[in-house]
Amino acid sequence: MDVLFRAAGGAAECSRWSSAAAEVVFESSPPLKPFPVRKGKRLAPGWWWSATTGRLVHYGSAAMRLHVMLLDRDPRVSGLAARPLELRWHGPSEVRAHAPQLMLRLADGQGVLADCAGRGELSRRQRSLAAVVGEICAAVGWRYWLLGPVDSIYRRNVTWLAGYRHPRHHGDRLLAAALQEAFAEPAPLSEGVRRVGEIRWSCFPRCSMRCGRDG
């Protein structure tokens, strides 16, 4: 069982899966190869800014983009990378290969490979491949996830909230401190908002100059 991935210098490297799974930081590896642009598809491949990793994550389909967004807010996930490796193994009559769409690092250090399924039912070939990849992952203490359809209401809520995870919406340290102080105890939202305004205003130094038309 071998694995193909890009080393630190960018060159492709092939190694034994059993050793690479324990030594290589796949969540920091770039995509082994970009996702192709397919004619007729409504969504072209793109990049998702990850609040978990602080960098862009490549995606190749609408289903993959959705799951990258959901995994980015999953507290279990500490690392996330798009197609950073390709598994290679010997089948009954040929060498087989599969590049899972995502690689995750969980907070407890465990590695996870994942593929994003569409809305339809899995084909016999897909189920067979998932079973093999699951065994390959289990052999080194990893897990394999086949990510399927998501509840529409949950998807819409997370889609709306996801944009606010970008640093440009985080505000400054004074705002964060004011929010923590204002809502240290349960309080009505309107009262807390008013309190935040009072706290932030009190943090500004008082101006000793008189302001008027002439400055």
Side-chain angles (χ1 to χ4, degrees):
M1 172 62 62
D2 295 327
V3 60
L4 184 68
F5 61 96
R6 292 198 180 280
E13 180 176 324
C14 188
S15 180
R16 296 296 296 172
W17 169 238
S18 57
S19 58
E23 299 170 3
V24 179
V25 186
F26 288 113
E27 62 268 33
S28 297
S29 299
L32 190 59
K33 48 189 174 183
F35 293 100
V37 177
R38 301 187 185 279
K39 187 177 181 179
K41 291 289 185 180
R42 295 181 61 186
L43 177 71
W47 297 85
W48 178 270
W49 189 89
S50 168
T52 299
T53 64
R55 58 186 177 83
L56 295 171
V57 178
H58 195 31
Y59 62 81
S61 66
M64 186 176 176
R65 183 182 65 177
L66 169 63
H67 285 291
V68 168
M69 176 184 68
L70 298 177
L71 292 168
D72 190 36
R73 69 180 300 275
D74 191 327
R76 298 173 298 172
V77 178
S78 63
L80 180 63
R83 200 152 68 174
L85 59 88
E86 180 180 86
L87 299 170
R88 296 181 175 181
W89 67 95
H90 291 277
S93 59
E94 61 181 353
V95 175
R96 300 187 62 188
H98 178 60
Q101 292 177 315
L102 292 169
M103 181 272 161
L104 319 172
R105 183 70 65 182
L106 302 185
D108 62 4
Q110 187 179 37
V112 178
L113 296 180
D115 283 306
C116 307
R119 296 181 180 180
E121 293 185 4
L122 296 178
S123 66
R124 181 177 179 181
R125 179 181 178 279
Q126 288 175 315
R127 291 195 299 269
S128 175
L129 178 62
V132 173
V133 177
E135 293 177 0
I136 291 172
C137 289
V140 295
W142 282 36
R143 300 170 67 181
Y144 176 67
W145 292 349
L146 191 57
L147 306 171
V150 178
D151 177 77
S152 60
I153 295 177
Y154 178 70
R155 182 185 70 245
R156 289 196 293 268
N157 285 336
V158 175
T159 300
W160 180 72
L161 293 170
Y164 292 98
R165 290 170 58 80
H166 195 281
R168 64 174 173 265
H169 297 294
H170 291 181
D172 54 27
R173 295 182 179 180
L174 291 177
L175 176 58
L179 285 169
Q180 290 178 350
E181 181 177 343
F183 292 99
E185 298 293 337
L189 180 60
S190 59
E191 180 181 331
V193 170
R194 178 183 57 78
R195 178 62 178 148
V196 168
E198 293 175 354
I199 295 172
R200 282 179 57 79
W201 181 254
S202 67
C203 291
F204 286 99
R206 295 184 180 278
C207 181
S208 58
M209 297 179 61
R210 295 179 62 186
C211 300
R213 289 186 179 179
D214 298 329

